[in-house]
Every structure is written in C-alpha cells, then in structure tokens.
C-alpha cells in the first residue's frame, strides 16, 4: 500500500503531479541502486586495500627481521674489530641492494657501526624487539643475548647477558608506490564499474516502471471513459426527476421525499463524474493552450467573492477581500475561477457562524500569492500531508451536514499545476487554516 501511494503521489507528495512523481520515483530507484552498488564496491575496495597494505607491511617486517637475524653473529666481531671485520661475502649482504641498512649497538645503546644507504634518526628503543616508522623508513630492532658459546636472539633466552642491539632499516617507497598504484587502479575501476552500473540501472528502472506507468495510464483512461459514459444516464435520471417534481399532483405525497433524495444523489453523482473526468484529463502539467489569455487576477477573485456572498451571509460569516489591482496572469478564466471557488467554498464549509474568511493578494518576485484564510475548525498537523489527496477528508469533516466528495482541493491543486504554480497549506486545530496559491505573473 505504501508503495502504491508513492506511485500515485497522492498521499505523501500531494504537491506533485503523477508525471512528476514517476520522474521522482525513477530518480529514487536509480539513486538507491547506485548507492547500494557504490557501497558494495567501496567496501570491497576497502577490504582489498586493507589486505594489500597489511600483507605488504608484514612482508616488509619479515624481511627486516631476516636481515637483523642474519647480522646477529657479526655483533661480537664489530664490537672488537670494527666494521671491516665483517665478511663482505656473507649472503645477507645482498639485501643491501633493496635500500636497506644495518646498525650495530652495544648493550648501552651506543652506536658501534652502520652499513647501508638509509638510516633512521629515531632514538634506539632498548626492548627485545620493536618496529618503528619514520617518514618513509621502517626500522626493526632486536636485542642480542649471549651464553658461554654463542650469541643468540633474546626470544627464548631473556635471562642471559645482553650483548647489544641490531637495527635493520628499509625504505617504504616501493610499498607506498604500490599502494598508490592500487588506489588509482581501484578508483578507475570503480568509476568505470559505476558508469556501466548507471547505464544498467537506467535500463532496469525503465523496465521496472514501464508496466506501472502503463497500468496507471490505463486506469486514468478508464476513469475518464467511465466518467464520460456516466454523465448521460445520470443526466437522464436528473431530467426525469425534474419532470416528475414539476408535476407534484402526479406524485404520491409519501414519494416526494424519496424523489428529493434521488435528485440529490443524482446531482452528487453528476458532480463526481465531472470532477473525475476533469482530473483524469488534466493530471499532467501541460503548456498553456492557445485559448488561454491574460486576465486581471483581482477581477477573478472579486467575481468569486460575489458568488459566495449570499452563502456567507446565510451562515453568518464575514467574507473579506484585500486585492492588489493590475496583476496579470495567463490563464483559462473558468479553471482559475474554479480553483478559488473550491478554496473559498472549503473555507466557508469549515468556518463556524460568526467567523471570517479573508482572501488577500501578495506580490513575491515573479509570483503572486493569493491567501484564503479562515478561523474555522483547522486541520490536525498529522493530516496536513493528505489534504490534497483525492477523496480524503479529515474525520471532523465527515459529517452528513458537510457536503463534498473530497475532490475540491485535489482539483484546485491540479489547476494550480496547470498554470505553473502550486498550493501550500498551514493550519492549527481550532484556530484556522490558510491556503496559499502561487501563480506566475505575466
């Protein structure tokens, strides 16, 4: 049911035409699909990025540990004879080709010797094993302990005598370069994927909504056809009742009230069929027809007020008019008169005796705003989004004394859309309501 209301646009977005609602629905489907796919791609990319960076960092740490452990046997020789004592043919020497370096420290943390291309300026951390990062240099430091026979790493012999420390350094430029290439590749790949997904989303959205739009169009055509076909039999019924009522002598007194009820129901059905036919034919916002002309808006409002003055006097309601002269609007006179007649009629219906209804005009840039304000029963805040929904009326308005089918505001809104404008409403319970009609000026 909620989805159907979104399709029709009559419940949640009452200020939009069905055509605008379908366009908005397409955008929602498209954005939802792209958001979901972008989220999936983003999470996948993050997972790849995290796995890639961590695996490379672990590989680098393992290389540094291998280099440092390979240099452990040389610590005693460096302490006694210096760096020249180190055998240059040892296998670990080949590792220096990777922008690596080694540093030998004594047990007090004093530098004994260093070999390689890059070195960290970080102070030595005198722990068994630690990893540090300085700019683009990764360092790994291990402590070296000794027993009576040889020097060993401290992992399993922490109670032995500390001989010193060995620190291995290596540049992270290659890793950072690889990560940068990965980020670019993921970005370009995701962008290309989103482009193809967007194309697919447009096609899928079109295929998804096309049957709904066709069904809605068929429903609109059915409403128009049914309303058109109903007018003739309803007119015939009304005519027959009028003929019977014009000859009361032929009608039994007990049937007179029945004829009045039938005539009232027939008039209501005729009005309903005409309203439905009008709405079915004017759901979409169209360009102004050739028959439209420029009119002074104050003249239309004056005629509407004159039309409702007797009704207002009968109910004891003050009908006020505050006009601005010489404001032209491009319109169809009958439709624009119907728009304001529906609003004024609605205001008079729900205003109690002794109240007032004020029709005023305000100029706002290229729009003229017509306010129809009353101090009637008002509308609850939770009902405001539904006031322009077809056949909808608030519970307080659903009484036998209040005539109406709940189409007046929907028709007024449709006419406003046809004229390139809109209607807004504000209301407070037991205080009153204010309908504002925005129309573009000529």
């Amino acid at each position: 049911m909620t989805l159907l209301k979104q399709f029709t646009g009559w419940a949640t977005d009452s200020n939009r035409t069905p055509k605008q609602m379908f366009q908005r629905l397409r955008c929602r489907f498209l954005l939802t699909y792209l958001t979901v796919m972008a989220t999936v791609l983003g999470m996948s990319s993050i997972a790849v990025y995290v796995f890639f960076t961590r695996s490379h960092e672990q590989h680098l740490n393992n290389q540094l540990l291998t280099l440092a452990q390979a240099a452990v046997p040389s610590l005693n020789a460096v302490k006694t004879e210096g760096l020249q004592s180190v055998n240059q043919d040892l296998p670990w020497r080949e590792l220096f080709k990777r922008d690596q370096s080694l540093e030998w420290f004594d047990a007090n943390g004093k530098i004994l010797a260093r070999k390689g291309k890059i070195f960290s300026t970080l102070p030595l951390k005198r722990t068994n094993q630690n990893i540090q990062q300085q700019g683009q240099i990764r360092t790994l430091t291990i402590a070296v302990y000794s027993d009576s026979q040889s020097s060993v790493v401290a992992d399993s012999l922490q109670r032995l005598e500390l001989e010193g420390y060995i620190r291995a350094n290596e540049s992270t430029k290659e890793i950072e370069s690889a990560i940068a290439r990965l980020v670019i590749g993921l970005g370009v790949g995701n962008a290309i994927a989103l482009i193809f997904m967007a194309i697919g989303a447009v096609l899928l959205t079109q295929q998804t909504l096309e049957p709904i739009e066709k069904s809605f169009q068929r429903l609109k055509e059915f409403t128009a056809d049914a309303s058109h076909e109903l007018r003739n039999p309803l007119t015939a019924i009304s005519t027959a009742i009028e003929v019977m009522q014009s000859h009361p002598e032929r009608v039994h007194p007990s049937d007179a009230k029945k004829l009045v009820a039938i005539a009232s129901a027939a008039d209501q059905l005729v009005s309903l069929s005409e309203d439905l036919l009008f709405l079915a034919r004017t759901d979409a916002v169209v360009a102004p027809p050739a028959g439209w002309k420029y009119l002074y808006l104050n003249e239309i409002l004056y005629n509407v007020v004159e039309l409702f003055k007797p009704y207002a006097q009968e109910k004891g309601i003050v009908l006020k008019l505050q006009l601005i002269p010489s404001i032209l609007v491009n319109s169809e006179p009958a439709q624009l008169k119907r728009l304001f007649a529906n609003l004024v009629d609605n205001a008079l219906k729900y205003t109690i005796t002794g109240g007032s209804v004020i029709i005023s005009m305000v100029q706002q840039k290229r729009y003229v705003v017509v306010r129809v304000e009353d101090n009637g029963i008002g509308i609850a805040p939770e009902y405001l989004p539904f006031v322009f929904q077809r056949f909808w009326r608030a519970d307080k308005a659903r009484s036998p004394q209040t005539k109406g089918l709940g189409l007046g505001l929907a028709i007024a809104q449709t006419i406003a859309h046809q004229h390139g404008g809109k209607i807004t409403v504000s209301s407070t319970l037991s205080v009153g309501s204010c309908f504002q009609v925005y129309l573009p000026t000529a």
Side-chain angles (χ1 to χ4, degrees), residues 7 34 42 81 100 133 152 169 194 216 224 244 265 290 301 321 326 331 347 355 363 370 408 412-413 431:
F7 288 151
L34 290 179
E81 302 179 22
Q100 295 176 325
Q133 181 79 28
V152 294
N169 309 284
L194 283 176
F216 181 81
M244 295 176 68
L301 293 174
L321 192 60
S326 305
S331 69
Q363 182 83 38
V370 179
Q413 182 199 56
V431 176

Side-chain angles (χ1 to χ4, degrees), residues 381-416:
E382 63 268 21
Y383 292 146
L384 286 178
F386 304 97
V387 295
F388 295 105
Q389 182 181 349
R390 300 174 187 186
F391 298 107
W392 184 89
R393 290 192 297 166
D395 292 338
K396 289 187 178 181
R398 298 183 185 276
S399 62
Q401 292 77 20
T402 306
K403 295 181 180 180
L405 300 169
L407 288 175
L409 293 179
I411 291 174
Q413 182 199 56
T414 301
I415 296 174

Side-chain angles (χ1 to χ4, degrees), residues 3 71-72 144 209 248 253 288 295 356 407 424:
L3 187 58
V72 166
V144 180
L209 291 183
L295 300 168
S356 64
L407 288 175
T424 62

Side-chain angles (χ1 to χ4, degrees), residues 78 255 272:
V78 170
D255 295 330
L272 174 61

Side-chain angles (χ1 to χ4, degrees), residues 177-230:
S177 178
I179 292 175
R181 290 194 298 269
L182 175 67
V183 171
I184 294 173
L186 289 175
V188 173
N190 288 345
I192 294 174
L194 283 176
I195 291 174
F196 283 106
M197 287 177 185
I199 296 173
V202 171
L203 297 176
L204 288 174
T205 302
Q206 181 70 23
Q207 291 180 358
T208 301
L209 291 183
E210 186 175 357
I212 301 174
E213 288 188 81
K214 288 181 179 179
S215 298
F216 181 81
Q217 184 64 29
R218 286 195 294 267
L219 178 61
K220 195 165 64 171
E221 292 173 357
F222 169 78
T223 304
D225 294 341
S227 301
H228 179 75
E229 294 299 327
L230 281 173

Side-chain angles (χ1 to χ4, degrees), residues 37 89 108 119 293 405:
M37 297 310 299
D89 295 329
N108 296 320
F119 300 96
K293 55 184 178 181
L405 300 169

